[in-house]
């Protein structure tokens, strides 16, 4: 069992923003997401093998995603991230059941 004061389910824009706010407030949040990479459907990072430059210019939405991911990575030392991990139940008094598709 892992004990955390704050667990955020989902590493999309809302989850990343919540983790940033929590870390800036002095908490050490944990973020879980069932996908292998953070960012959600809208800001998911490209696979590491793709070069970052040389593509079309970024839209304003894509620029917001880049900025959000940058802020998140600046605080990454305070934030635990478990990818490929899904939440499947919340039980009293405050227990979150998760399933990891890979070991952590």
């Amino acid at each position: 069992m892992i004990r955390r004061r704050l667990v955020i389910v989902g590493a999309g824009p809302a989850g990343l923003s919540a983790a940033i706010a929590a870390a800036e407030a002095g908490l050490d949040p944990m973020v879980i997401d069932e996908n292998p990479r953070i960012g959600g459907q809208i800001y998911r990072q490209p696979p590491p093998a793709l070069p970052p430059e040389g593509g079309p210019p970024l839209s304003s939405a894509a620029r917001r995603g880049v900025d959000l991911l940058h802020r998140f990575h600046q605080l990454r030392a305070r934030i635990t991230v478990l990818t490929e991990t899904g939440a499947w139940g919340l039980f009293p008094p405050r227990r979150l059941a998760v399933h990891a598709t890979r070991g952590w």
Side-chain angles (χ1 to χ4, degrees), residues 33-91:
D33 195 284
E34 59 191 1
N35 291 295
R37 292 187 312 273
I38 64 170
Q41 296 300 319
I42 190 167
Y43 296 143
R44 182 155 300 128
Q45 301 164 78
L50 294 178
E53 59 272 337
L58 294 178
S59 67
S60 61
R63 174 60 47 206
R64 283 192 304 273
V66 168
D67 293 343
L68 179 68
L69 290 167
H70 178 72
R71 286 179 49 222
F72 180 82
H73 288 297
Q74 285 179 319
L75 296 164
R76 185 64 175 81
R78 295 194 62 99
I79 303 168
T80 302
V81 177
L82 300 179
T83 56
E84 299 181 61
T85 303
W88 63 267
L90 181 61
F91 302 96

